[in-house]
Protein backbone atom coordinates (compact mmCIF):
# COMPACT_ATOMS: atom_id res chain seq x y z
CA UNK A 1 0.00 0.00 0.00
CA UNK A 2 3.01 2.30 0.31
CA UNK A 3 2.64 3.61 -3.24
CA UNK A 4 -0.78 5.06 -2.37
CA UNK A 5 -1.94 7.97 -0.19
CA UNK A 6 -5.30 7.71 1.57
CA UNK A 7 -7.80 10.37 2.61
CA UNK A 8 -10.47 8.08 4.06
CA UNK A 9 -11.19 4.59 5.30
CA UNK A 10 -14.50 2.73 5.59
CA UNK A 11 -14.86 -0.32 7.85
CA UNK A 12 -17.77 -2.70 8.25
CA UNK A 13 -18.53 -6.23 9.37
CA UNK A 14 -20.91 -8.82 7.97
CA UNK A 15 -21.96 -12.36 8.76
CA UNK A 16 -20.82 -15.04 6.31
CA UNK A 17 -20.80 -18.79 6.87
CA UNK A 18 -21.40 -18.52 10.59
CA UNK A 19 -18.52 -16.08 11.14
CA UNK A 20 -18.11 -12.31 11.17
CA UNK A 21 -16.01 -10.91 8.35
CA UNK A 22 -14.60 -7.42 8.94
CA UNK A 23 -13.53 -5.58 5.80
CA UNK A 24 -11.86 -2.22 5.19
CA UNK A 25 -11.89 -0.07 2.06
CA UNK A 26 -9.65 2.95 1.55
CA UNK A 27 -10.19 6.08 -0.56
CA UNK A 28 -7.02 7.43 -2.17
CA UNK A 29 -6.12 11.01 -3.00
CA UNK A 30 -6.90 10.02 -6.60
CA UNK A 31 -10.49 9.11 -5.60
CA UNK A 32 -9.87 5.38 -6.08
CA UNK A 33 -11.60 2.80 -3.88
CA UNK A 34 -9.10 0.19 -2.67
CA UNK A 35 -10.07 -2.95 -0.68
CA UNK A 36 -7.49 -2.96 2.11
CA UNK A 37 -7.96 -6.20 4.00
CA UNK A 38 -10.12 -8.69 5.88
CA UNK A 39 -10.23 -10.30 9.28
CA UNK A 40 -12.45 -13.11 10.53
CA UNK A 41 -13.89 -13.26 14.03
CA UNK A 42 -16.89 -14.50 15.95
CA UNK A 43 -18.14 -10.93 16.38
CA UNK A 44 -17.28 -7.41 15.24
CA UNK A 45 -15.08 -6.69 18.27
CA UNK A 46 -12.43 -4.05 18.83
CA UNK A 47 -9.51 -6.50 18.92
CA UNK A 48 -10.38 -7.99 15.52
CA UNK A 49 -10.77 -4.53 13.99
CA UNK A 50 -7.55 -3.28 15.60
CA UNK A 51 -5.70 -6.34 14.28
CA UNK A 52 -7.00 -5.57 10.79
CA UNK A 53 -5.95 -1.91 10.99
CA UNK A 54 -2.52 -2.81 12.42
CA UNK A 55 -2.00 -5.18 9.50
CA UNK A 56 -3.00 -2.49 7.02
CA UNK A 57 -0.64 0.01 8.65
CA UNK A 58 2.16 -2.54 8.52
CA UNK A 59 1.66 -2.86 4.77
CA UNK A 60 2.40 0.83 4.24
CA UNK A 61 -1.00 2.50 4.68
CA UNK A 62 -0.19 6.23 4.55
CA UNK A 63 -2.30 9.34 5.09
CA UNK A 64 -2.51 11.90 2.29
CA UNK A 65 -2.95 14.64 4.92
CA UNK A 66 -2.37 15.25 8.63
CA UNK A 67 -5.61 13.45 9.45
CA UNK A 68 -7.70 10.61 8.06
CA UNK A 69 -11.48 10.50 7.65
CA UNK A 70 -13.07 7.29 8.98
CA UNK A 71 -16.63 6.57 7.82
CA UNK A 72 -18.29 4.21 10.32
CA UNK A 73 -21.75 2.83 10.99
CA UNK A 74 -21.73 3.65 14.70
CA UNK A 75 -20.49 0.33 16.08
CA UNK A 76 -18.56 0.90 19.31
CA UNK A 77 -15.91 -1.67 18.36
CA UNK A 78 -15.07 0.16 15.14
CA UNK A 79 -14.76 3.53 16.86
CA UNK A 80 -12.67 2.10 19.69
CA UNK A 81 -10.26 0.46 17.26
CA UNK A 82 -9.63 3.50 15.04
CA UNK A 83 -9.23 5.77 18.06
CA UNK A 84 -6.86 3.31 19.77
CA UNK A 85 -4.62 3.20 16.71
CA UNK A 86 -4.77 6.77 15.39
CA UNK A 87 -6.18 8.88 18.22
CA UNK A 88 -6.82 12.50 17.25
CA UNK A 89 -5.34 11.84 13.81
CA UNK A 90 -8.68 10.35 12.73
CA UNK A 91 -11.90 12.29 12.18
CA UNK A 92 -15.04 10.16 12.34
CA UNK A 93 -18.01 10.55 10.03
CA UNK A 94 -21.02 8.64 11.26
CA UNK A 95 -23.17 7.06 8.58
CA UNK A 96 -26.33 9.13 8.55
CA UNK A 97 -28.41 6.37 6.94
CA UNK A 98 -27.62 4.00 9.80
CA UNK A 99 -28.57 6.70 12.29
CA UNK A 100 -31.78 7.40 10.37
CA UNK A 101 -32.77 3.73 10.67
CA UNK A 102 -31.85 3.69 14.36
CA UNK A 103 -33.97 6.74 15.14
CA UNK A 104 -36.90 5.32 13.17
CA UNK A 105 -37.07 2.42 15.62
CA UNK A 106 -38.20 4.82 18.34
CA UNK A 107 -40.95 6.68 16.50
CA UNK A 108 -44.22 5.74 14.83
CA UNK A 109 -44.47 5.03 11.10
CA UNK A 110 -46.47 8.23 10.62
CA UNK A 111 -43.37 10.28 11.51
CA UNK A 112 -40.90 8.36 9.35
CA UNK A 113 -41.39 10.46 6.22
CA UNK A 114 -40.86 13.72 8.09
CA UNK A 115 -37.75 12.32 9.75
CA UNK A 116 -36.39 11.36 6.32
CA UNK A 117 -37.11 14.83 4.89
CA UNK A 118 -35.48 16.60 7.84
CA UNK A 119 -32.36 14.44 7.89
CA UNK A 120 -32.03 14.67 4.11
CA UNK A 121 -32.28 18.45 4.37
CA UNK A 122 -29.64 18.55 7.13
CA UNK A 123 -27.19 16.42 5.17
CA UNK A 124 -27.77 18.47 2.00
CA UNK A 125 -26.87 21.86 3.52
CA UNK A 126 -23.51 23.23 2.41
CA UNK A 127 -22.81 25.38 5.46
CA UNK A 128 -21.65 23.59 8.59
CA UNK A 129 -23.23 26.28 10.75
CA UNK A 130 -26.59 25.85 9.01
CA UNK A 131 -26.36 22.07 9.28
CA UNK A 132 -25.56 22.34 13.00
CA UNK A 133 -28.65 24.50 13.53
CA UNK A 134 -30.75 21.99 11.59
CA UNK A 135 -29.37 19.21 13.79
CA UNK A 136 -30.56 21.04 16.89
CA UNK A 137 -33.94 21.69 15.29
CA UNK A 138 -34.26 18.00 14.45
CA UNK A 139 -33.26 16.94 17.96
CA UNK A 140 -35.80 19.34 19.49
CA UNK A 141 -38.54 18.02 17.20
CA UNK A 142 -37.71 14.43 18.21
CA UNK A 143 -37.84 15.40 21.88
CA UNK A 144 -41.55 16.19 21.43
CA UNK A 145 -42.14 12.70 20.02
CA UNK A 146 -39.73 10.35 21.81
CA UNK A 147 -36.95 11.06 24.28
CA UNK A 148 -35.28 7.82 23.21
CA UNK A 149 -35.29 8.97 19.58
CA UNK A 150 -33.70 12.27 20.59
CA UNK A 151 -31.12 10.41 22.68
CA UNK A 152 -30.29 8.16 19.73
CA UNK A 153 -29.70 11.16 17.46
CA UNK A 154 -27.59 13.00 20.03
CA UNK A 155 -25.53 9.85 20.59
CA UNK A 156 -24.07 10.34 17.09
CA UNK A 157 -23.92 14.10 17.63
CA UNK A 158 -22.05 16.34 15.24
CA UNK A 159 -20.03 13.41 13.90
CA UNK A 160 -22.93 13.17 11.47
CA UNK A 161 -21.67 16.48 10.04
CA UNK A 162 -17.92 15.89 9.83
CA UNK A 163 -18.01 16.04 6.03
CA UNK A 164 -19.67 19.46 6.32
CA UNK A 165 -16.83 20.66 8.55
CA UNK A 166 -14.36 19.47 5.93
CA UNK A 167 -15.85 21.81 3.34
CA UNK A 168 -16.85 19.27 0.67
CA UNK A 169 -20.27 19.15 -0.96
CA UNK A 170 -22.44 17.58 -3.62
CA UNK A 171 -22.12 14.01 -4.79
CA UNK A 172 -18.55 13.81 -3.47
CA UNK A 173 -19.74 14.57 0.06
CA UNK A 174 -22.67 12.19 -0.32
CA UNK A 175 -20.24 9.35 -1.01
CA UNK A 176 -18.35 10.10 2.20
CA UNK A 177 -21.34 10.67 4.49
CA UNK A 178 -22.53 7.06 4.60
CA UNK A 179 -21.14 3.52 4.45
CA UNK A 180 -22.87 2.81 1.12
CA UNK A 181 -19.51 2.28 -0.64
CA UNK A 182 -18.49 -0.61 1.57
CA UNK A 183 -22.02 -2.02 1.92
CA UNK A 184 -22.28 -2.14 -1.86
CA UNK A 185 -19.01 -4.08 -2.06
CA UNK A 186 -20.21 -6.53 0.59
CA UNK A 187 -23.51 -7.00 -1.27
CA UNK A 188 -21.73 -7.73 -4.55
CA UNK A 189 -19.37 -10.19 -2.87
CA UNK A 190 -22.27 -12.02 -1.24
CA UNK A 191 -24.05 -12.22 -4.58
CA UNK A 192 -20.97 -13.87 -6.09
CA UNK A 193 -21.07 -16.44 -3.25
CA UNK A 194 -24.82 -17.00 -3.46
CA UNK A 195 -24.50 -20.67 -4.49
CA UNK A 196 -22.32 -21.63 -1.54
CA UNK A 197 -24.48 -23.52 0.94
CA UNK A 198 -22.13 -25.59 3.07
CA UNK A 199 -19.32 -23.74 4.80
CA UNK A 200 -18.00 -26.72 6.78
CA UNK A 201 -17.57 -29.56 4.28
CA UNK A 202 -16.23 -30.05 0.76
CA UNK A 203 -19.20 -30.22 -1.65
CA UNK A 204 -17.89 -33.34 -3.42
CA UNK A 205 -15.80 -35.34 -0.93
CA UNK A 206 -17.70 -34.30 2.23
CA UNK A 207 -14.35 -33.88 3.96
CA UNK A 208 -14.21 -31.20 6.62
CA UNK A 209 -12.60 -28.05 5.19
CA UNK A 210 -10.37 -25.43 6.75
CA UNK A 211 -12.12 -23.15 9.22
CA UNK A 212 -11.40 -20.05 7.11
CA UNK A 213 -13.44 -21.15 4.07
CA UNK A 214 -15.78 -18.16 4.41
CA UNK A 215 -12.82 -15.79 4.68
CA UNK A 216 -11.18 -17.19 1.54
CA UNK A 217 -14.40 -17.11 -0.48
CA UNK A 218 -15.09 -13.55 0.65
CA UNK A 219 -11.56 -12.43 -0.23
CA UNK A 220 -11.78 -13.99 -3.69
CA UNK A 221 -15.20 -12.44 -4.34
CA UNK A 222 -13.92 -8.99 -3.42
CA UNK A 223 -10.74 -9.39 -5.46
CA UNK A 224 -12.72 -10.50 -8.52
CA UNK A 225 -14.74 -7.26 -8.33
CA UNK A 226 -11.85 -4.93 -7.57
CA UNK A 227 -11.25 -3.97 -11.20
CA UNK A 228 -14.88 -2.84 -11.52
CA UNK A 229 -14.75 -0.39 -8.63
CA UNK A 230 -15.19 3.15 -9.96
CA UNK A 231 -13.63 6.33 -8.66
CA UNK A 232 -15.63 8.67 -6.43
CA UNK A 233 -17.58 11.19 -8.46
CA UNK A 234 -16.67 14.82 -7.89
CA UNK A 235 -13.23 14.03 -6.52
CA UNK A 236 -11.40 15.82 -9.29
CA UNK A 237 -12.91 19.13 -8.18
CA UNK A 238 -13.05 18.66 -4.40
CA UNK A 239 -10.25 16.31 -3.40
CA UNK A 240 -7.74 19.10 -2.76
CA UNK A 241 -10.26 20.89 -0.51
CA UNK A 242 -10.67 17.70 1.49
CA UNK A 243 -6.91 17.19 1.80
CA UNK A 244 -6.33 20.82 2.81
CA UNK A 245 -8.99 20.73 5.51
CA UNK A 246 -7.87 17.34 6.83
CA UNK A 247 -4.51 19.02 7.37
CA UNK A 248 -5.66 22.40 8.66
CA UNK A 249 -8.91 21.69 10.49
CA UNK A 250 -8.44 21.65 14.24
CA UNK A 251 -10.66 19.21 16.13
CA UNK A 252 -12.40 22.15 17.82
CA UNK A 253 -12.55 24.47 14.83
CA UNK A 254 -15.73 24.92 12.86
CA UNK A 255 -15.52 25.44 9.13
CA UNK A 256 -18.44 26.81 7.21
Amino acid sequence: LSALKFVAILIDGTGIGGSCQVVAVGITDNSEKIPLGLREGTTENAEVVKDLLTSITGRGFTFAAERLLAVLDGGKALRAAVKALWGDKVLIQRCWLHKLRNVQEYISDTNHSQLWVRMKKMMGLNSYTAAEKEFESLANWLSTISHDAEKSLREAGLELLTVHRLGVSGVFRNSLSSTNIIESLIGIAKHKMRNVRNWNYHPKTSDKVARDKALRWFAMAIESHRGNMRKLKGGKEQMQTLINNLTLLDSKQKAA
Side-chain angles (χ1 to χ4, degrees):
L1 300 173
S2 58
L4 303 169
K5 304 293 183 183
F6 292 89
V7 297
I9 189 170
L10 299 93
I11 313 165
D12 201 3
T14 186
I16 297 176
S19 63
C20 180
Q21 305 293 331
V22 181
V23 59
V25 172
I27 306 297
T28 73
D29 59 357
N30 194 32
S31 298
E32 293 179 299
K33 305 168 191 171
I34 307 292
L36 299 173
L38 290 169
R39 277 297 183 275
E40 182 178 66
T42 54
T43 61
E44 188 183 277
N45 64 70
E47 288 305 314
V48 171
V49 181
K50 188 176 179 181
D51 184 44
L52 170 61
L53 297 181
T54 301
S55 170
I56 292 169
T57 301
R59 287 161 44 218
F61 182 84
T62 306
F63 295 4
E66 288 296 317
R67 294 181 178 85
L68 181 76
L69 179 66
V71 185
L72 308 176
D73 65 6
K76 293 181 179 180
L78 301 181
R79 181 188 176 85
V82 298
K83 283 295 186 181
L85 186 62
W86 291 314
D88 291 338
K89 291 292 185 180
V90 66
L91 296 176
I92 294 174
Q93 168 64 42
R94 289 285 293 273
C95 174
W96 75 275
L97 292 173
H98 273 84
K99 182 48 63 179
L100 171 69
R101 292 192 285 267
N102 290 344
V103 173
Q104 281 181 338
E105 295 297 320
Y106 296 104
I107 62 178
S108 66
D109 292 349
T110 57
N111 290 312
H112 285 186
S113 60
Q114 188 172 355
L115 173 65
W116 165 260
V117 169
R118 296 187 73 141
M119 287 201 74
K120 185 74 172 178
K121 175 185 176 183
M122 177 180 74
M123 297 308 298
L125 294 170
N126 287 329
S127 164
Y128 173 71
T129 301
E132 186 179 18
K133 289 180 180 178
E134 188 62 30
F135 176 90
E136 285 300 323
S137 176
L138 175 58
N140 291 335
W141 172 68
L142 287 172
S143 70
T144 66
I145 301 171
S146 166
H147 291 298
D148 287 332
E150 179 195 9
K151 183 179 178 181
S152 178
L153 180 71
R154 291 193 182 279
E155 178 275 326
L158 298 180
E159 286 183 351
L160 288 169
L161 306 177
T162 301
V163 285
H164 293 74
R165 293 179 62 214
L166 290 169
V168 292
S169 60
V171 66
F172 184 69
R173 185 177 69 192
N174 291 344
S175 297
L176 296 174
S177 64
S178 76
T179 55
N180 278 355
I181 289 173
I182 197 165
E183 289 181 9
S184 175
L185 177 62
I186 290 172
I188 290 169
K190 284 186 172 182
H191 181 72
K192 289 176 178 289
M193 298 184 291
R194 64 190 180 280
N195 292 326
V196 181
R197 293 289 181 267
N198 194 325
W199 297 98
N200 297 313
Y201 295 91
H202 193 282
K204 294 182 178 179
T205 66
S206 296
D207 293 334
K208 198 169 183 66
V209 299
R211 180 176 175 272
D212 64 351
K213 180 179 179 180
L215 177 68
R216 290 182 285 117
W217 269 100
F218 194 34
M220 291 178 66
I222 289 175
E223 184 62 23
S224 69
H225 179 67
R226 180 172 176 172
N228 297 322
M229 297 179 73
R230 300 177 181 177
K231 290 185 177 183
L232 263 64
K233 294 180 179 179
K236 186 176 181 180
E237 297 80 17
Q238 299 200 57
M239 181 59 73
Q240 196 56 52
T241 296
L242 175 61
I243 292 173
N244 290 343
N245 284 335
L246 282 170
T247 298
L248 299 174
L249 188 67
D250 185 81
S251 59
K252 295 182 180 180
Q253 177 187 357
K254 296 179 181 179

